[in-house]
Amino acid sequence: MFIAAYAGARPLGRPLPLLAEAPQASDCGSVPLHLIFAFARDPAHDGRFEFYDPWQLETAARQLRGLQRGMLSLAGAGFAWGPAHGVSLDSWVAAALESLQSLLDRYGLVGLDINYEEGLDAGGFAPAMAALVAQLKAWRPTLLVTISPFDDVWHHYRELLRLAGPSIDYINWQVYAELESPHSTADLVIAAYDRLAREVGGYQRLVLGVNTEPQQLRGPQLAASLEAFRRLCTRGIGGAFTWALDNSCQAGYAAERALLQIAAQPLGAPGQWQRPSSGHALLPDAPTKLPCAPAAPVSLFHYPPQAQHQRCSGQSTSPPGSSKSCCSVM
């Protein structure tokens, strides 16, 4: 089961929360939490990727513990696709391959997330990304590769899926961009994933998107998302992700803890999952555990008593002299 949380997630980045306080696994299972560091970009549009704040990424990589796993997300909102004038697709792919191999190796990251949202009509996105993914998989067959589309850009990512096939391990569907109302119900979420499952040939690569932004209240709220996740687990959904850890820290990481707990249900229970069609598994199968009690619905934006002691702010991962707290927004 793939459970993930974006971290540092703003188009321009923001300070990361203390990863030592983020959950690393469920209380009665062995499901890893993948932390998707956002974002890496190639400022000159030449394929030479760099993280928005290398110091933060280095600090985050050192903080990973237990069953936490680090990944790297590309682009994000506000950064358009498209090689610079005079840069061919082949040259862009070659430079991207070299720079991403260096970043993944340097920081000990296990996966790559493709999160381009703008400029896709310029052309070349799907073939370039398919070629890049193929070469990255040849370099490291165990590399986890995810894509993060939503309805407006789905046709471009659908073409990438057609070209890349099983090399794409998971589809992090941003359902909150499709069902933007905070009153969206679990039934509406499930209907969206039923439709997607018909398009991609099953649920096993689909990942439920949960928005934890306290000031936006965008998309299905936590109780509806958890109900949908429990029910989609019976269909074999591949996992769930949150946008983003930086938000969840304000409520003691309630969303990530609940998702991990649901995901830890043993095989044959409602949390059952299937291996992606590529046959890829990042970790060896964990031994079957006694079932967790289903997580009770919680209010994402009210601090549970124990969360009062969570150091969400006041201890920054920014360099000395910075005034930013770990939950501040750029």
Side-chain angles (χ1 to χ4, degrees):
M1 178 72 78
F2 178 69
I3 303 296
Y6 285 83
R10 280 291 187 189
L12 296 178
R14 60 180 166 184
L16 297 166
L18 292 175
L19 301 185
E21 295 177 349
Q24 61 162 311
S26 60
D27 291 336
C28 59
S30 299
V31 180
L33 176 63
H34 292 80
L35 301 174
I36 306 177
F37 300 124
F39 291 100
R41 295 171 167 179
D42 58 331
H45 291 269
D46 56 0
R48 292 178 173 84
F49 281 90
E50 56 189 52
F51 196 68
Y52 77 89
D53 185 341
W55 189 91
Q56 274 211 83
L57 186 57
E58 182 177 343
T59 302
R62 288 200 307 265
Q63 289 183 21
L64 290 174
R65 65 191 181 95
L67 289 180
Q68 292 175 346
R69 302 288 185 265
M71 296 178 60
L72 189 65
S73 185
L74 303 184
F79 189 81
W81 157 257
H85 180 71
V87 178
S88 68
L89 285 183
D90 287 343
S91 297
W92 187 93
V93 170
L97 177 66
E98 181 180 0
S99 63
L100 290 174
Q101 284 174 330
S102 176
L103 284 170
L104 293 167
D105 266 349
R106 186 185 315 156
Y107 299 112
L109 306 177
V110 302
L112 187 73
D113 173 61
I114 300 171
N115 199 344
Y116 279 90
E117 301 185 1
E118 300 172 21
L120 302 181
D121 291 333
F125 169 74
M129 288 298 162
L132 175 61
V133 169
Q135 294 182 54
L136 284 170
K137 286 278 192 173
W139 166 67
R140 184 186 293 174
T142 59
L143 187 72
L144 187 66
V145 177
T146 65
I147 58 175
S148 298
F150 53 96
D151 49 352
D152 287 350
V153 298
W154 178 225
H155 59 291
H156 295 289
Y157 281 89
R158 196 165 49 214
E159 176 64 8
L160 172 55
L161 281 171
R162 187 187 70 81
L163 295 175
S167 293
I168 304 297
D169 294 287
Y170 291 108
I171 303 166
N172 300 334
W173 184 257
Q174 299 182 42
V175 69
Y176 44 81
E178 174 182 346
L179 303 174
E180 293 198 33
S181 169
H183 304 294
S184 299
T185 64
D187 286 340
L188 289 174
V189 174
I190 290 169
Y193 280 84
D194 285 345
R195 182 195 74 239
L196 285 169
R198 289 191 294 269
E199 290 190 46
V200 302
Y203 296 85
Q204 61 266 36
R205 287 200 289 176
L206 296 178
V207 178
L208 173 67
V210 180
N211 180 30
T212 63
E213 178 66 67
Q215 296 175 339
Q216 287 186 347
L217 295 181
R218 180 188 183 203
Q221 297 301 284
L222 184 58
S225 295
L226 294 181
E227 179 187 347
F229 187 47
R230 292 189 191 97
R231 291 163 60 184
L232 286 168
C233 280
T234 67
R235 290 161 160 80
I237 193 170
F241 74 90
T242 63
W243 176 272
L245 196 75
D246 320 65
N247 306 320
S248 304
C249 67
Q250 301 178 44
Y253 305 107
E256 289 79 9
R257 295 184 193 281
L259 293 170
L260 284 166
Q261 188 179 49
I262 295 170
Q265 295 289 336
L267 297 177
Q272 169 178 328
W273 72 289
Q274 300 177 23
R275 190 179 300 275
S277 57
S278 66
H280 168 86
L282 180 61
L283 297 175
D285 293 335
T288 299
K289 301 287 186 180
L290 293 176
C292 290
V298 296
S299 174
L300 180 59
F301 309 122
H302 290 99
Y303 287 75
Q306 66 272 24
Q308 300 292 344
H309 304 291
Q310 294 277 349
R311 294 192 299 273
C312 177
S313 61
Q315 292 197 20
S316 176
T317 57
S318 298
S322 169
S323 61
K324 297 168 185 170
S325 72
C326 66
C327 286
S328 63
V329 178
M330 284 190 175

